[in-house]
Amino acid sequence: MSQLAASGVGLLLALSVLGIFAARRALGTRLVYAACAAVCAALAGVALLGLLAPGAGLESVEIPVGLPLGRTVLGLDPLSAAFAVIVNLAAAIVSGYAIGYGAHAREPLRVVPFYPAFIAGMNLVLLAQDAFSFLVGWELMSLASWALVLSEHRAAENRHAALVYLIMASGGALTLLLAFGLLAGPHGGYSFEAIRRVSSAGVGPIVLLLALLGAGSKAGLVPLHAWLPLAHPAAPSHVSALMSAVMTKVAVYGFVRLVFDLAGPPAWWWSVPVLLIAAVTALLGVLYALMEHDLKRLLAYHTVENIGIIFIGLGLALAFEASGMRAAAALAFAAAIFHVFNHSLFKSLLFMGSGAVLNATGERDMEHLGGLIKAMPVTAVAFLAGCIAISALPPFNGFVSEWLTFQAILLSPQLPQWVARLLVPAVGATLACSAALAAACFVKAFGMSFLGRPRTKAASAAAETDRFSQIAMLLLALLCLLAGILPGFVLDSLGAVTQLAVGERLAPQSAQAWMRIVPVDIHRSAYSGLFVFVMILLAAAATAFVVRRVASHALRRSPAWDCGFPDASPATQYTAGSFAQPIRRVFGSVVFRAREAVAMPKPGDTAVARLQVELHDTVWDALYAPIIRLVAATAERLNRMQFLTIRNYLTLVFAALVALLIIVGTWR
Amino acid sequence: MSPLDSDIAHLLAGSMVLLSFLLLYQDRMFALLNVFAFHAFALAGSVAWQAYLQRAPHLFITALIALLFKGVIIPVALRRIVVRLGIHRSIETVVSIGPTMLFGIALVGLSIVVMLPVTQAEGPFVREDLAFALSVVLLGFLMMVTRRNAVSQVIGFMSLENGLVLAASGARGMPLVVEISVGFSVLIAFMVISIFLFRIRERFDTVDLQALDMSRGEAL
């Protein structure tokens, strides 16, 4: 099993080399993407077998390359198998989409060779059973995706995005390196086996902090999210889908591996920073998304929100596990992993839809779209399914995982610590608020892009996207629905994962009547997606029947009331900005220091009136801008060091040596 | 090991430290080369004594290398270079000799303060030997930093390397191959640097490194 998975990574790397030559022709590009899809599908299958097979192994493959002191150990345990299923399933479908979409790339040589390497890096992170190969995979993933972000390098904003991303990624890798160094202890056993054997008492809190910084910066936790909405949209859409839907999940995996698996038993207060950051992330992410009218950036900000939801689940699992409530911990953890799975499905779907829209119209700004449902019906249906799923509406999958998270939150009164008892309901309220705002946000995203009348010529000239893309999007929409109406199977397959992470598994769910899931107790709560789905179908059918039978068949077309403005321009429609205005007024004045100014011309003046909205990114201004200023000022001063004489350099070395010796001499 | 053995070892190593101070003090080029030759002789004696004490015959080879290369060949070659370049006059220093010597004394104190607590597990013999060696290294470094002339910088570098060999021979078990490779690398460094000296001389009519700085447009 592990050999198969490892050889899959090798195949992907080989494809990456092959891509250099294949990308010169359109057919070669398509073949590389098709091969990626096949390899990822095979990897997903292997990982699924590894996840479901009873007693499936910790058997691992040793590869004779690596650090001088250690070997590279690759293997699949339930946790990595679960994430490998998630990553490779989405990657396979995205690659299928790219067979059609990737052919539109202007410079395929900048994309095709890095794409398989990116997927290989993510798989290597998941397969790694030692710190060295984990970090190598992590860096491969970061650098390959950095190259992909930079693929359209002629736009200055993309170069800026790539720079910010590179800095954040290297900082994150550094913190992970430190975390592994701490975990390995003084004797430096860097395989996960050795780390588990070493008692890591005392370093746990620091490892938690480093994991929050390292994995959190990759996943997009506030305030480390700054690179994410810049970098994800800058890449080609299929890569955006992978980065947003899949790479952030690899980061979640890194956090889970470090904190749940390697750092030893948690203390209850570990959950406090995780929950706080997660709640802020969820709320701020969705507020950013609401203010954003660029379709891909909106989706990227939504990734931030969903990462917040996932980390709420993980924080709850920490709290419950530390207090010995293992069943509740398993519930919270399973909810988090379920949401990881769901988000990978619907976020890839939505990015693919936005890519299709971008291809058809050349526009990412919602204010320039509209009415696409007539020109692109398949894309519209798939995108709508994704919107419903991400807004957590039944019967789609997003609802199930958020509902499970709420079930875990409702168990919090049983926690022994009053801090947790107070904090968790507050987090729950934040989660509810962000879920509602997310729904509003996707009403905006779908409504402004696909409904109404086209706002620009480009939008009115749009045509449906290619077959491969359509099939990929519909497949994902179907998967979203299936995971929503048959959640019991997903939860059951996560049993081994929760067993590994929190030492308990949920009661078997798939045997329940009506495919319902019963997370705690049948008398407490139960949800049957299938039942809801059937009811929705029945209600819709009954309504259609009644409308057809009872209502009049006579078709009557008449002009709509135009408020006295005949031939209204499409610009008079409700816009994304006007949709977001009420929410901006409620939240924005504090969070974004939003200011509105109306410039009204004097009476008699024929100039137009203007409404100007000023928004500030508070996190950037408060956290990143001072650091950037400091670095710039320091670099300015240190610039003189570039032009010293040899003897001066020697003096510096000598002074450093003497200073270090003085420190050594006076230390004890 | 009898007290006399240990005393002789300390005498030889201590004389190296003293010779390092003498190197710092010299203001004539030929005298500097002579003192460096003595420095190498002291190193050879010290290593040979270690070889006798540790019953390690390969250290005799090390001592021989030190004696031949550093004690004879390199000083003679440098002397010829100096004669051909015509720079046997006084040595220009950055910091004047008095403060340099005082700083050197502070460095010896520092190396004793650092080395003695760090190597508590070892015997007193090795500890003091290491303290001497670190002093020699630091003094060589100090010489490189405080001299303007390229030849005296080379001498500083060589005496620093002598300190490294002293440390290694005292620490028991430096393989011969390491010593040989270090010896060769020093020899190669010497050749490269002397070639550079001639190139610099051809270009600038002086081996005062200040001229190099000026040619970069940055007079000090």
Side-chain angles (χ1 to χ4, degrees):
Chain A
M1 210 71 90
S2 300
Q3 283 90 337
L4 275 175
S7 51
V9 176
L11 269 180
L12 284 170
L13 287 174
L15 273 177
S16 173
V17 178
L18 213 63
I20 301 172
F21 306 102
R24 295 176 201 281
R25 290 164 181 269
L27 181 65
T29 308
R30 283 171 191 266
L31 281 178
V32 169
Y33 283 129
C36 280
V39 174
C40 290
L43 277 172
V46 167
L48 190 63
L49 279 180
L51 183 62
L52 296 183
L58 271 164
E59 24 93 68
S60 49
V61 207
E62 281 185 16
I63 294 175
V65 288
L67 282 180
L69 297 174
R71 300 144 308 168
T72 301
V73 188
L74 301 182
L76 278 174
D77 63 355
L79 182 61
S80 48
F83 276 89
V85 172
I86 294 168
V87 164
N88 286 306
L89 180 63
I93 298 176
V94 170
S95 304
Y97 168 85
I99 298 175
Y101 182 83
H104 303 297
R106 257 167 308 189
E107 292 168 292
L109 260 174
R110 292 187 174 277
V111 180
V112 177
F114 297 112
Y115 182 83
F118 179 35
I119 303 177
M122 292 192 286
N123 273 303
L124 188 56
V125 172
L126 299 180
L127 287 177
Q129 294 295 329
D130 66 309
F132 176 70
S133 42
F134 183 97
L135 288 171
V136 167
W138 189 274
E139 283 296 280
L140 182 60
M141 167 178 97
S142 296
L143 291 178
S145 56
W146 171 75
L148 289 166
V149 167
L150 206 49
S151 67
E152 281 161 28
H153 63 111
R154 290 197 172 80
E157 58 167 3
N158 289 359
R159 291 199 298 272
H160 175 239
L163 178 66
V164 175
Y165 176 36
L166 190 64
I167 293 170
M168 297 295 281
S170 43
L174 178 68
T175 54
L176 287 181
L177 184 69
L178 292 178
F180 280 119
L182 276 178
L183 282 172
H187 304 294
Y190 283 98
S191 78
F192 290 166
E193 279 299 327
I195 290 176
R196 280 187 207 106
R197 276 199 306 271
V198 174
S199 128
S200 54
V203 300
I206 310 172
V207 169
L208 175 74
L209 177 73
L210 290 171
L212 272 177
L213 285 176
S217 70
K218 185 62 98 188
L221 286 180
V222 172
L224 302 169
H225 68 287
W227 64 276
L228 193 148
L230 301 174
H232 286 187
S237 292
H238 58 297
V239 180
S240 308
L242 275 192
M243 287 180 75
S244 217
V246 179
M247 189 176 72
T248 53
K249 306 306 172 299
V250 178
V252 172
Y253 165 80
F255 181 82
V256 170
R257 177 65 78 190
L258 274 171
V259 173
F260 282 85
D261 184 15
L262 299 179
W268 72 269
W269 60 266
W270 291 17
S271 63
V272 174
V274 178
L275 282 171
L276 277 177
I277 292 173
V280 171
T281 302
L283 191 60
L284 266 186
V286 70
L287 284 177
Y288 274 117
L290 267 165
M291 299 305 124
E292 194 56 64
H293 305 321
D294 175 322
L295 197 50
K296 284 179 80 175
R297 289 188 63 153
L298 178 144
L299 293 176
Y301 274 124
H302 252 283
T303 300
V304 174
E305 185 231 347
N306 279 283
I307 288 295
I309 297 173
I310 292 164
F311 272 82
I312 287 177
L314 294 178
L316 285 171
L318 277 177
F320 287 130
E321 190 196 353
S323 304
M325 300 164 64
R326 296 203 174 270
L331 170 61
F333 191 81
I337 304 299
F338 199 171
H339 200 72
V340 165
F341 175 60
N342 293 339
H343 185 248
S344 76
L345 292 181
F346 52 61
K347 191 46 67 70
S348 341
L349 170 56
L350 290 168
F351 261 112
M352 289 178 187
S354 73
V357 168
L358 177 61
N359 233 351
T361 64
E363 284 291 346
R364 275 164 39 177
D365 190 344
M366 274 181 263
E367 310 277 28
H368 297 161
L369 297 172
L372 292 177
I373 194 169
K374 295 186 195 75
M376 313 173 70
V378 179
T379 309
V381 168
F383 197 86
L384 181 61
C387 288
I388 297 175
I390 200 172
S391 308
L393 294 176
F396 280 85
N397 55 355
F399 175 78
V400 185
S401 46
E402 290 200 29
W403 182 78
L404 285 171
T405 311
F406 276 115
Q407 294 304 315
I409 286 172
L410 291 177
L411 290 175
S412 67
Q414 300 168 18
L415 281 170
Q417 304 89 10
W418 63 269
V419 176
R421 279 204 302 271
L422 278 180
L423 178 66
V424 175
V427 169
T430 320
L431 178 59
C433 180
S434 63
L437 289 173
C441 187
F442 277 94
V443 168
K444 180 181 92 172
F446 186 79
M448 297 308 145
S449 311
F450 288 92
L451 304 183
R453 286 182 292 156
R455 293 185 174 79
T456 53
K457 274 199 185 127
S460 56
E464 182 58 275
T465 183
D466 57 273
R467 288 275 162 206
F468 288 107
S469 308
Q470 290 179 24
I471 293 172
M473 288 190 287
L474 288 179
L475 189 59
L476 275 177
L478 184 67
L479 280 175
C480 283
L481 184 63
L482 280 181
I485 58 180
L486 304 171
F489 292 109
V490 183
L491 279 182
D492 280 355
S493 58
L494 291 177
V497 186
T498 54
Q499 179 76 46
L500 189 149
V502 295
E504 180 68 59
R505 40 176 89 213
L506 285 177
Q509 304 285 343
S510 49
Q512 295 276 354
W514 272 100
M515 298 296 165
R516 72 187 165 198
I517 48 172
V518 183
V520 186
D521 185 8
I522 185 68
H523 301 298
R524 193 179 171 105
S525 56
Y527 167 72
S528 165
L530 184 61
F531 185 72
V532 172
F533 183 56
V534 169
M535 280 299 141
I536 290 174
L537 281 186
L538 282 181
T543 313
F545 178 79
V546 169
V547 167
R548 296 260 161 181
R549 269 303 164 87
V550 179
S552 160
H553 280 267
L555 192 65
R556 193 162 52 105
R557 284 188 183 275
S558 62
W561 183 52
D562 53 16
C563 303
F565 288 97
D567 301 328
S569 114
T572 57
Q573 294 178 94
Y574 215 52
T575 64
S578 45
F579 188 88
Q581 191 198 34
I583 299 167
R584 188 180 69 227
R585 287 202 170 153
V586 173
F587 294 99
S589 57
V590 179
V591 182
F592 302 109
R593 287 186 281 138
R595 297 283 174 275
E596 289 179 19
V598 182
M600 189 64 82
K602 294 222 170 71
D605 191 350
T606 53
V608 290
R610 286 194 166 278
L611 170 69
Q612 277 194 319
V613 180
E614 191 188 337
L615 288 177
H616 294 275
D617 187 340
T618 325
V619 176
W620 183 273
D621 291 349
L623 191 65
Y624 290 89
I627 296 177
I628 292 171
R629 278 200 298 275
L630 182 71
V631 169
T634 320
E636 191 73 28
R637 301 239 164 78
L638 287 179
N639 199 18
R640 288 176 44 199
M641 304 278 283
Q642 295 267 344
F643 304 103
L644 298 181
T645 64
I646 300 172
R647 205 178 42 73
N648 287 346
Y649 284 125
L650 274 179
T651 315
L652 282 180
V653 172
F654 186 54
L657 178 66
V658 170
L660 288 176
L661 285 177
I662 288 173
I663 291 173
V664 171
T666 53
W667 193 258
R668 59 206 81 212
Chain B
M1 193 187 303
S2 73
L4 182 67
D5 292 346
S6 157
D7 283 348
I8 291 175
H10 284 163
L11 174 72
L12 288 167
S15 66
M16 278 186 76
V17 178
L18 204 62
L19 283 166
S20 284
F21 274 105
L22 275 182
L23 280 175
L24 278 180
Y25 181 75
Q26 299 309 315
D27 56 357
R28 296 279 163 171
M29 194 62 83
F30 288 141
L32 184 72
L33 292 178
N34 291 340
V35 175
F36 175 69
F38 279 117
H39 201 264
F41 290 157
L43 174 72
S46 180
V47 174
W49 188 248
Q50 290 288 346
Y52 164 70
L53 285 184
Q54 298 177 18
R55 311 277 184 273
H58 66 269
L59 281 181
F60 280 118
I61 301 176
T62 306
L64 201 66
I65 290 174
L67 193 68
L68 279 182
F69 279 99
K70 293 173 190 152
V72 179
I73 296 180
I74 288 179
V76 168
L78 274 177
R79 177 180 288 266
R80 292 182 55 188
I81 290 175
V82 167
V83 170
R84 279 181 62 187
L85 293 176
I87 50 167
H88 52 277
R89 287 176 297 277
S90 64
I91 296 169
E92 291 170 48
T93 55
V94 179
V95 186
S96 63
I97 298 235
T100 313
M101 300 285 280
L102 285 178
F103 193 62
I105 292 168
L107 286 179
V108 174
L110 175 67
S111 53
I112 289 170
V113 169
V114 169
M115 269 304 164
L116 291 192
V118 170
T119 53
Q120 248 159 12
E122 306 291 328
F125 172 65
V126 173
R127 293 169 64 190
E128 284 156 28
D129 215 34
L130 278 177
F132 283 131
L134 184 61
S135 313
V136 172
V137 168
L138 289 178
L139 289 173
F141 218 139
L142 181 65
M143 176 147 178
M144 288 177 78
V145 168
T146 54
R147 293 292 181 272
R148 284 237 170 91
N149 188 294
V151 175
S152 41
Q153 286 200 346
V154 172
I155 295 289
F157 176 66
M158 301 264 171
S159 70
L160 185 154
E161 200 269 338
N162 285 352
L164 289 182
V165 174
L166 179 66
S169 71
R172 272 172 208 273
M174 179 171 78
L176 186 61
V177 63
V178 174
E179 159 59 16
I180 288 176
S181 55
V182 169
F184 270 111
S185 65
V186 168
L187 196 66
I188 287 166
F190 164 75
M191 289 195 286
V192 171
I193 289 171
S194 53
I195 290 169
F196 264 104
L197 276 179
F198 279 105
R199 302 283 309 195
I200 293 169
R201 159 81 176 194
E202 270 172 32
R203 190 64 67 86
F204 300 108
D205 270 346
T206 172
V207 281
D208 189 334
L209 291 178
Q210 217 172 349
L212 286 182
D213 303 335
M214 282 178 189
S215 89
R216 294 201 313 184
E218 308 156 12
L220 284 175

